[in-house]
Amino acid sequence: MLAILLTPTRPGAPLTRPDGKPLAAHLREQLRAAGARDVVLTDDLAEVAVLAGTAREPVLLCSGDLVAHTAVLRHLATSPLPGTVALVLPDPDAGPVGVVEERNQVVAAGSPAQAGSGAAVATLAAAPTGASGGAVRVSAADLPALVTAARSLAAADAAGGVDPTPALDRLLAELARVGDTAVPGMTIFAQRVRLLVARRAAGPAEVAAAEQAVAAVDADKAELRLSVKEKDDFFTTFFVSTWSPWVTKLCARLRLTPTGVTAISVLFAGVAALLFAYGDRPALVAGAVLLYLGFMLDCVDGQLARYTRHFSPWGGWLDTIADRAKEYLVYAGLAVGAERAGFTYGWALGIAAITLQTVRHMTDTWYGALHDEAAKRPRPAGAATGGLGARLSAASNKVQADTGSVSYWLKRTVVFPIGERWALIALTVAIFNPTVSLIAVLVWGALAAAYTLALRTVRARSMRVAVLTGVDTGLHRDDGPVARWLAGLGQAARLPGPLPFAVLGALVSLTLLGAGLAGVGTGPARWLVPLAVLVVLLAALPAAVPHGGALDWLVPAGLRAVEYLLVIAVGVLVDAPEAVMFGLLFVLALRHYDLTARLEKRESAPLLHSLGLGWDGRLLILALATLLGPTAARWAMLLLAGYLTVIFAVNALRGWTPRGIPGPRRPAETDPVTVGSEVTTPVGSEVVTPGGASPDPAAGGGPGMRERNG
C-alpha cells in the first residue's frame, strides 16, 4: 500500500511533538506500522494525481496535522469495507471541515461551496454529522476518482490561489462531490473514531494535548473492545458480547485464526443438530448449550478478525455461508427430532423454515442496497419531502439514534435477527421439544417478515432510487440461458417493470403447491407442473428491462420464492422424500447466499455460474422429469441437489481466491521510505499484530450478508 502524507498548507513552522520530533516524521513511522510499503510526503496535489495514476493498490492519504493512535491508521488501512474509507471524527467541530454521514457513508464533505448541491449539502450547511478525521484510504478501483479530484484541485489552485483548507480535506470534499461521476457506484464509507484517539492539531500546544490523550488510552484494551460491534442485537449485546471479548483474547493468544474459530462454531452447531435429531431430554439440553456456545464462537470469529486485523474476501464469504449452513442444519435436526417424537410434519416445518428465512434474507439484502444507494443520491429538485414513507424514515432514524431505549431494543428485536433466532431455538428445544421450536421460529419469522415488508414497502416508495440499474441484474436474479433468451424478446416488446411478473410467478407457484397439498394425484401433476413452469417463465421476459421501480428491490426475493415454492410443489405432487426436498432447497439457498455475498463484496460471478442453469433451467428440468413420471421427478430432485452441491463446492474452493489484506507491520531495514525525492531507511523488522496472532491471509471476518453477528 502506498501512503501519501499531505503537509498542512497553513503558514508557520512545521508541527512538532513535545520531544521536538517533527510530527511528519512520527506520522511516517505510524503509516509504515499501519502497513504502508512506501510513504511519500508532499504538498503538491498535482503530484498526488500522478502518484494515484500510477498506483496499482490502495492509497492511504494522511494529513500532516493528525495526532492519533497507530491503531487508528491501521484500522483504516486494513478496513474490510469494499471501497474508499474516510476517517470521521464524531464531533463536527473537531476538524477543519464537516462531513455528512448517512448509513455509514460520507455523502458530503467540506464547506457547502465545496460540496456542490443537493440535500446532503443543505445538511452540511445546517448541521454536519461529523468532521473529517484527516485520513482516507482510497481503494484501487476508486483511484481514477482520486486522480480526477487531485487534478481538479491543482488546476483551481493554479488559477486562483491556494485554498487554506488542508489538502486532505479538500480531496475528501472533492471525492464526495465527483467520485460517483468518475467511478460509477463509488462509495465513501465512514470509519468513526471511538475509544481510541484521533485529533487534528493546529499548533504545538494542540499537538502536546493530543499526545497526552493518546498516551492515556491503552490501545490494546481499546482494540479488544472495538472488536465488538458498536450496535448489535439485544441477545448478542447482553448475553454474548459481555464475555466473548475474553474468548477473543484467548483465541488470539492461542494463534487461532478467524477461519479456525468458524470451523469450531460449525462443529458445535452440527453436534447440536444431531442431538436435536436423536437425543432425549438431557441431550436436547446439551444441544441447546452447544448451540449457544456455537453462536458465541460465531461472534468471536468476527471479533478476532477485527482484533487481529486479518480480513479477506474468502473469510467474509465463509462466515456468511457458515452462518446460514449452521442454521439450516439445525432446522434439519429439529425436523428429524420432531418426526422421531411422533409429529408427522416435522420435515414440512423445516422446509417452511428454510424457505421463509432465505426469502427474508434476500429482501434484507436488496432493501439494504436500496437504502445505501438512496443515502448517497441527493433528492431531485422539487421532489416531495413529506409523505408517510418520509415520516416513517424520520421516526426510524430517531429510534435508531436513541440507543439503549426500550423502543430501540424493540425495533432491533422484532425483526427476529440471528441472535434472537438462536436464543429462541435453544430455549424452546431445551424446555419443550423440537416441534415447538420449529413452530416458534416460523411464527416469529412470519410476523417479522410481515412487519419489515410492510414498513419497507412504504419507505421504499419515498426513496425513488433505481437500485438494480447499476449491477448485473441477470447475475443476481440468477437467470439462466432460457431466461436470458426470453429477456431479449421482452426487451424488444418494451414490457413494463419486472415486479408484476415475479408476483405472478409466485402466485402460480403457490397455487400449484396448494393443489399438491389438496391431494391432486400424480397423474394430473404430469401436466400441472409443466404448465405452471411455462407460466412462471414469463417472469424472465422483463429481465433486461431496467429494474428501476420503487419496489423492484423485491424482484430477486420474489424469484427465490417462485423457485422454492415450485420445488416444494413438485416434491409434494410426486411424493418425493422430504429430506431430498430439504436438501435441494438447502443447496439452492447456499447458491443464492453466495450471489448476495458477491453483490455486497463487489465480486464477479462464480467460475461455474452458468453451469448452475439458472432458476429457469432448473425448473424446466423438474418439469420435464415430472412428465416422465413420479420416479423420474424424484431422481431429478436428488441428482439436481448433488450436481449443484458439486458446482457450489468448486466455486467455494476456487472461486474465492484468498486475497488477504496484509496485517500490520513495522518497516524492515531494507524497505525504503520515500519522502518527496528523499529516500530514508527506517529501523526495525518486527511484525506486530495485536494479541500476538500471526497473519493468516485466508482468515475471515469481512462484511457478509446484511444480517451479521459478532
Side-chain angles (χ1 to χ4, degrees):
M1 176 182 292
L2 170 68
I4 302 177
L5 182 57
L6 297 161
T7 53
T9 56
R10 60 174 63 91
L15 295 174
T16 58
R17 306 177 72 213
D19 60 3
K21 183 178 182 179
L23 180 59
H26 179 62
L27 281 169
R28 287 201 301 269
E29 295 174 358
Q30 289 185 300
L31 290 168
R32 295 287 291 185
R37 296 178 178 85
D38 297 295
V39 181
V40 177
L41 190 150
T42 182
D43 60 356
D44 186 354
L45 290 174
E47 184 180 0
V48 172
V50 173
L51 291 169
T54 57
R56 295 295 180 268
E57 57 185 348
V59 172
L60 180 58
L61 303 170
C62 181
S63 183
D65 60 355
L66 176 63
V67 180
H69 282 98
T70 301
V72 171
L73 293 172
R74 182 169 59 244
H75 290 185
L76 186 69
T78 58
S79 172
L81 291 170
T84 294
V85 188
L87 191 66
V88 174
L89 304 179
D91 182 1
D93 298 322
V97 299
V99 301
V100 174
E101 176 192 353
E102 187 172 349
R103 288 185 62 82
N104 198 37
Q105 300 175 86
V106 174
V107 296
S111 65
Q114 291 171 320
S117 61
V121 177
T123 305
L124 185 61
T129 60
S132 170
V136 180
R137 187 206 71 189
V138 182
S139 69
D142 294 341
L143 288 177
L146 177 58
V147 173
T148 299
R151 285 176 177 170
S152 174
L153 293 175
D157 289 345
V162 178
D163 189 328
T165 306
L168 183 286
D169 306 294
R170 296 175 63 206
L171 280 171
L172 176 60
E174 191 69 4
L175 282 173
R177 188 177 70 87
V178 304
D180 189 59
T181 302
V183 179
M186 175 180 172
T187 299
I188 303 177
F189 294 98
Q191 178 172 302
R192 284 201 162 236
V193 179
R194 63 185 185 98
L195 302 183
L196 295 167
V197 175
R199 294 185 183 179
R200 309 291 293 276
E206 293 185 10
V207 172
E211 291 284 359
Q212 289 181 353
V214 169
V217 175
D218 186 321
D220 184 66
K221 289 183 178 180
E223 287 191 271
L224 185 60
R225 291 178 59 194
L226 285 170
S227 69
V228 178
K229 288 174 62 176
E230 183 179 9
K231 293 182 178 180
D232 217 326
D233 305 313
F234 182 84
F235 179 78
T236 307
T237 298
F238 293 103
F239 295 94
V240 176
S241 297
T242 50
W243 65 285
S244 61
W246 303 108
V247 181
T248 300
K249 183 77 170 182
L250 177 62
C251 291
R253 288 179 175 174
L254 294 175
R255 298 181 179 273
L256 290 176
T257 65
T259 300
V261 175
T262 299
I264 298 173
S265 175
V266 171
L267 177 62
F268 276 33
V271 174
L274 288 174
L275 292 173
F276 296 158
Y278 299 104
D280 52 10
R281 175 59 54 193
L284 293 178
V285 174
V289 173
L290 282 177
L291 195 65
Y292 169 68
L293 293 177
F295 177 69
M296 180 274 297
L297 291 175
D298 199 21
C299 297
V300 167
D301 62 5
Q303 294 171 10
L304 183 63
R306 289 186 286 272
Y307 181 55
T308 59
R309 309 309 297 172
H310 296 148
F311 305 107
S312 73
W314 156 259
W317 174 87
L318 180 64
D319 186 50
T320 296
I321 297 300
D323 287 352
R324 303 289 74 79
K326 288 183 297 185
E327 182 174 0
Y328 294 168
L329 283 175
V330 168
Y331 290 167
L334 292 172
V336 173
E339 295 210 342
R340 282 174 56 85
F343 184 71
T344 306
Y345 304 107
W347 275 114
L349 293 178
I351 288 169
I354 193 174
T355 301
L356 173 64
Q357 198 56 48
T358 303
V359 173
R360 277 195 64 208
H361 273 146
M362 298 302 113
T363 62
D364 291 345
T365 297
W366 285 100
Y367 180 77
L370 171 78
H371 210 166
D372 288 345
E373 191 70 16
K376 63 182 181 180
R377 301 291 183 196
R379 182 179 294 275
T385 57
L388 179 58
R391 291 196 296 272
L392 285 173
S393 295
S396 177
N397 293 336
K398 182 179 179 181
V399 171
Q400 195 69 14
D402 189 14
T403 56
S405 66
V406 174
S407 57
Y408 171 83
W409 290 119
L410 283 175
K411 183 177 184 293
R412 295 193 70 92
T413 303
V414 71
V415 297
F416 202 26
I418 185 170
E420 275 63 17
R421 292 201 302 276
W422 283 122
L424 181 66
I425 292 171
L427 288 174
T428 52
V429 79
I431 298 173
F432 302 105
N433 55 58
T435 302
V436 172
S437 186
L438 280 172
I439 292 174
V441 167
L442 281 170
V443 170
W444 193 345
L447 291 175
Y451 165 77
T452 56
L453 186 61
L455 291 184
R456 289 171 177 178
T457 298
V458 175
R459 294 182 66 183
R461 293 184 65 86
S462 69
M463 294 180 188
R464 306 293 182 185
V465 175
V467 65
L468 298 185
T469 57
V471 300
D472 184 348
T473 304
L475 169 63
H476 296 292
R477 287 167 49 106
D478 196 18
D479 290 334
V482 176
R484 292 180 184 272
W485 176 74
L486 290 172
L489 299 179
Q491 190 174 28
R494 297 184 179 182
L495 293 174
L499 184 60
F501 292 87
V503 172
L504 172 64
L507 291 176
V508 170
S509 302
L510 193 60
T511 301
L512 184 64
L513 176 58
L517 294 175
V520 174
T522 56
R526 296 182 62 183
W527 305 107
L528 286 176
V529 172
L531 180 62
V533 169
L534 289 177
V535 176
V536 162
L537 285 177
L538 294 175
L541 287 172
V545 174
H547 289 46
L551 300 181
D552 284 351
W553 55 276
L554 290 168
V555 171
L559 293 177
R560 302 295 76 81
V562 166
E563 182 174 10
Y564 293 12
L565 289 173
L566 267 176
V567 166
I568 299 170
V570 170
V572 170
L573 287 167
V574 303
D575 197 23
E578 292 169 313
V580 172
M581 296 164 57
F582 187 94
L584 179 54
L585 292 173
F586 184 92
V587 70
L588 284 173
L590 294 185
R591 173 182 176 85
H592 293 133
Y593 282 120
D594 178 35
L595 290 177
T596 51
R598 291 174 186 277
L599 170 70
E600 292 191 339
K601 294 173 175 58
R602 302 181 183 181
E603 291 284 339
S604 58
L607 289 174
L608 305 180
H609 177 69
S610 60
L611 295 183
L613 306 177
W615 63 271
D616 47 297
R618 295 188 291 268
L619 292 182
L620 282 172
I621 287 176
L622 291 180
L624 292 174
T626 306
L627 282 176
L628 298 176
T631 302
R634 291 192 287 267
W635 274 105
M637 296 182 74
L638 181 61
L639 293 175
L640 189 58
Y643 172 75
L644 293 174
T645 299
V646 173
I647 298 292
F648 176 80
V650 172
N651 283 328
L653 295 174
R654 301 192 60 187
W656 284 86
T657 303
R659 298 187 302 274
I661 299 174
R665 66 185 181 92
R666 287 180 180 167
E669 293 183 8
T670 56
D671 292 339
V673 177
T674 306
V675 184
S677 59
E678 176 186 3
V679 177
T680 63
T681 304
V683 179
S685 57
E686 179 185 3
V687 176
V688 180
T689 55
S694 57
D696 176 14
M705 289 289 297
R706 288 280 158 190
E707 180 184 44
R708 303 183 188 97
N709 47 284

